Amino acid sequence: MNLKPWKLTLLAALSVTGSAALAQTTSTQKAIELERYGEARAALLRAPQSNETAFELGRLYQMRDMPDSAAFYFNKVSLNQKDPMTMVAAGRAALAQGKTAEAEIQFDNAVKASKGKDAKVYTMIAQAYAESNVKDATKALTYVSAGEKLAKGKDDPALMIARGDLYLKSETGGGEAMNSYERASLADPNNVQAYVRKGQLNMRARSYNEAKTNFDKAISLDANYAPAYNALAETYYFAGRYDDALAQFQKYSSLAEKSSTTDAKYASFLYLTKKYPEALAEVDKVLAKEPNNLTMNRLRAYSLYETGKNDEALAAMQKYLQVAQAENKVITEDNVYYGKMLIKGGKTTEGAAIIKKAIDADPKKAAELQNELAQAYLAAKDYPSAITVLKQRMAANKGGELTDKVYLGRAYELNSQYAQADSLYSLVVTERPTYIPGYQMRARANANMDKDSKQGLAKPYYEQYIKVATAAEDATKYKSGLIEANKYLGYYYYQKGDKTAALPYWQQALTLDPNDQQAKTAVSEITKPAKAPAKAPVKRK
């Protein structure tokens, strides 16, 4: 599956990962783990105010990526030099505000207050780092090591999950993270979070079968554990199984908290799985409650473009960009979509310049963005420009991938350069003989070079297409192509005067589509009885 890297990033941002919380003992802690933030917040605000409720409210807002509110509630925990938890809260408040040095002082004080003999204190500190935006986990891992020594070979699942989450902050920490989650599940075979974490790592490594196994295990342990369904939906998405992905996400939605956040995630998932009209409906639902939701305004512009409403899309994008630029939140894909909208709207030069600027600004995405630019040119029927960009992409990509050759061949074909198109399609079927549409592409290119079909240039390719498409397991998906091939061959033999050879092809086309009027006419013409010769006049004497 050739998945756009930026879409991977978008989906990752929507992931439900749960939290590395201490053993869940209250309904509010469980609600936070399941990202039922509204429910948890309401319960915490109803409860008698205490250090514990303030601490959990701080965690709740940290999970919602609201650091200022998180720091506010962590700071409401009354500092007590004899209670390590209160110092951990102070450390978490400092982390939320980006004050790492101050946080370390508070965490060290918490360790001193427990005389370094309470493993739970080390676990709480590890979780504080794991649930923060701090990227460097070096210091945090020293607390983990100290906690492991106290455990004396008996792993604490919560500490191991925090350890894994900390290693995931490093691009090369995947191995140690998986080791941590394995240790968590061995220590507690019923730990749902551990299996979800393992599955997410499998997914990151594109080991989709292993990911599914872990998510299925999590669901078997807790059928109401919403994050597992979300993660399973993502697995199906990355594996290209969009219908299965949507089905699992709908299960997640049925269990997750009913909120604009959930609706926004559903809208995003619909967009990613190319259900653009449905995505628009969900986006509008969210915007009715939160008209300034930046992500949904972005997605609205994207989805309008994908549904062919370019004028509306352009207006939506320009309105969105005004806010996004002011908040410095414009992403590469915004400029790509904006450029495509301008190109489609006839402002080719302006649109292309914006996309080219995006390519220059993000060289790592150059190949993908060049393809986007080429597709925009194709949509605008500027075929020479599309050809130029695709050739550049292929040259930079050491000859290009199979899809590059297909796109360039198509651009040549649309530009009436049929010989060049056929040359590309020839490479496609040579590199991948099992790519059935490639034979149809060659046939069409050759048919266009032989308008009256007298030379039969397309004949061998349509014959090969019929052979491979008919033998395919999913032959029904090639029905329209098979009709096309049979009609071409029927016409070829008919105009050659060989009605006997032509008839089976027309009959097969009619079998595939009994309503095909052209095939009906041809069969009728070929099979109608020949006129009897006129009788000679009788001479009268």
Side-chain angles (χ1 to χ4, degrees):
M1 178 183 177
N2 187 18
L3 193 65
K4 297 179 181 180
W6 67 267
K7 288 194 173 181
L8 291 172
T9 304
L10 176 59
L11 191 57
L14 299 168
S15 297
V16 178
T17 56
S19 60
L22 286 167
Q24 308 299 318
T25 57
T26 70
S27 60
T28 54
Q29 288 174 322
K30 187 67 176 179
I32 291 174
E33 180 184 342
L34 296 178
E35 289 199 346
R36 302 183 70 88
Y37 299 133
E39 176 185 311
R41 181 176 177 276
L44 288 167
L45 291 175
R46 285 196 305 267
Q49 294 307 293
S50 64
N51 282 346
E52 287 72 20
T53 55
F55 189 93
E56 290 303 323
L57 279 164
R59 285 190 59 243
L60 185 154
Y61 282 106
Q62 198 155 36
M63 297 300 119
R64 293 178 65 184
D65 196 25
M66 299 171 70
D68 290 340
S69 296
F72 172 80
Y73 280 104
F74 283 131
N75 280 325
K76 286 190 74 172
V77 175
S78 300
L79 198 60
N80 180 347
Q81 297 300 326
K82 293 182 179 181
D83 185 351
M85 184 272 282
T86 67
M87 284 166 267
V88 172
R92 291 191 72 137
L95 284 182
Q97 295 172 313
K99 301 173 182 177
T100 53
E102 183 180 323
E104 287 178 17
I105 292 171
Q106 295 293 351
F107 294 144
D108 286 341
N109 287 338
V111 171
K112 288 175 186 175
S114 66
K115 298 180 180 180
K117 294 181 179 180
D118 189 344
K120 287 185 178 180
V121 172
Y122 290 113
T123 298
M124 290 177 71
I125 296 171
Q127 291 170 338
Y129 279 106
E131 294 175 1
S132 76
N133 292 325
V134 174
K135 300 299 181 187
D136 186 355
T138 306
K139 178 66 176 177
L141 288 170
T142 64
Y143 295 110
V144 172
S145 296
E148 288 181 89
K149 287 177 184 176
L150 284 180
K152 297 179 181 179
K154 294 181 180 179
D155 287 328
D156 172 16
L159 180 62
M160 288 301 100
I161 290 175
R163 181 181 189 270
D165 291 353
L166 288 168
Y167 271 108
L168 279 184
K169 290 177 179 285
S170 163
E171 290 185 7
T172 58
E176 278 299 325
M178 181 61 84
N179 175 263
S180 302
Y181 302 143
E182 290 282 7
R183 287 167 64 180
S185 60
L186 286 171
D188 177 10
N190 294 320
N191 191 298
V192 182
Q193 271 190 337
Y195 290 105
V196 171
R197 290 292 202 280
K198 286 196 290 183
Q200 287 169 330
L201 259 181
N202 293 142
M203 185 167 58
R204 193 168 98 165
R206 302 195 179 198
S207 300
Y208 301 125
N209 289 334
E210 290 87 343
K212 182 179 181 301
T213 298
N214 277 306
F215 296 140
D216 285 343
K217 175 65 175 177
I219 290 167
S220 73
L221 292 171
D222 185 351
N224 294 316
Y225 197 85
Y229 293 101
N230 181 85
L232 186 55
E234 291 178 11
T235 301
Y236 282 130
Y237 171 79
F238 289 134
R241 294 171 58 177
Y242 292 166
D243 289 342
D244 290 329
L246 275 176
Q248 293 301 323
F249 197 89
Q250 284 161 351
K251 285 184 182 178
Y252 159 72
S253 296
S254 69
L255 293 168
E257 184 174 59
K258 304 304 177 190
S259 68
S260 293
T261 301
T262 307
D263 289 339
K265 287 177 180 176
Y266 186 41
S268 302
F269 212 89
L270 286 166
Y271 164 78
L272 289 170
T273 51
K274 304 187 184 210
K275 305 284 187 182
Y276 302 120
E278 295 89 340
L280 264 176
E282 292 297 320
V283 165
D284 288 341
K285 249 168 65 175
V286 177
L287 290 176
K289 299 175 185 175
E290 299 179 15
N292 297 321
N293 186 306
L294 199 64
T295 301
M296 290 296 98
N297 276 293
R298 170 189 287 142
L299 211 59
R300 184 170 187 273
Y302 288 11
S303 299
L304 283 167
Y305 173 82
E306 296 292 356
T307 51
K309 299 174 181 177
N310 196 61
D311 290 343
E312 291 180 56
L314 197 52
M317 179 59 82
Q318 289 167 338
K319 178 183 175 184
Y320 154 75
L321 284 174
Q322 286 180 343
V323 179
Q325 287 167 347
E327 297 182 10
N328 197 28
K329 291 186 177 179
V330 175
I331 61 175
T332 300
E333 289 65 45
D334 294 339
N335 289 320
V336 173
Y337 262 107
Y338 188 35
K340 291 196 293 185
M341 291 169 191
L342 288 169
I343 290 173
K344 194 170 182 180
K347 297 181 179 179
T348 304
T349 303
E350 185 182 344
I354 290 173
I355 299 177
K356 287 175 182 175
K357 188 176 179 180
I359 292 171
D360 293 338
D362 199 345
K364 290 182 180 179
K365 294 182 181 178
E368 184 61 45
L369 298 183
Q370 281 178 322
N371 183 54
E372 292 281 1
L373 178 57
Q375 296 306 312
Y377 279 134
L378 288 173
K381 299 184 179 180
D382 185 352
Y383 307 129
S385 294
I387 290 168
T388 299
V389 173
L390 287 166
K391 287 172 74 174
Q392 290 172 348
R393 173 178 156 89
M394 288 180 67
N397 200 21
K398 297 179 182 179
E401 300 175 355
L402 189 75
T403 51
D404 295 328
K405 296 179 177 69
V406 171
Y407 286 142
L408 181 55
R410 181 62 178 153
Y412 275 128
E413 190 176 350
L414 290 168
N415 203 41
S416 301
Q417 293 176 263
Y418 302 121
Q420 291 90 332
D422 182 52
S423 178
L424 268 297
Y425 296 149
S426 174
L427 291 174
V428 170
V429 294
T430 300
E431 287 180 25
R432 190 177 297 178
T434 56
Y435 184 62
I436 295 173
Y439 299 100
Q440 185 183 24
M441 292 171 186
R442 285 211 75 182
R444 285 178 172 174
N446 279 273
N448 279 312
M449 287 189 282
D450 179 21
K451 292 294 186 182
D452 58 9
S453 302
K454 287 185 178 178
Q455 297 178 68
L457 297 182
K459 178 176 176 290
Y461 306 114
Y462 273 127
E463 288 174 337
Q464 183 66 13
Y465 177 77
I466 290 174
K467 181 179 177 182
V468 294
T470 303
E473 289 184 11
D474 49 354
T476 53
K477 69 185 287 187
Y478 302 112
K479 177 181 171 181
S480 64
L482 286 168
I483 293 170
E484 176 187 316
N486 278 287
K487 286 167 70 171
Y488 172 88
L489 291 167
Y491 177 74
Y492 168 76
Y493 282 113
Y494 182 82
Q495 56 90 29
K496 285 283 186 184
D498 190 346
K499 293 183 179 181
T500 302
L503 182 59
Y505 290 109
W506 286 113
Q507 288 174 325
Q508 180 60 22
L510 199 56
T511 299
L512 290 165
D513 182 6
N515 296 316
D516 190 297
Q517 194 57 49
Q518 193 177 19
K520 282 183 181 180
T521 301
V523 170
S524 176
E525 178 66 26
I526 293 171
T527 58
K528 70 179 180 182
K531 289 183 180 179
K535 293 182 179 180
V538 178
K539 292 183 179 180
R540 297 180 181 274
K541 292 184 178 179

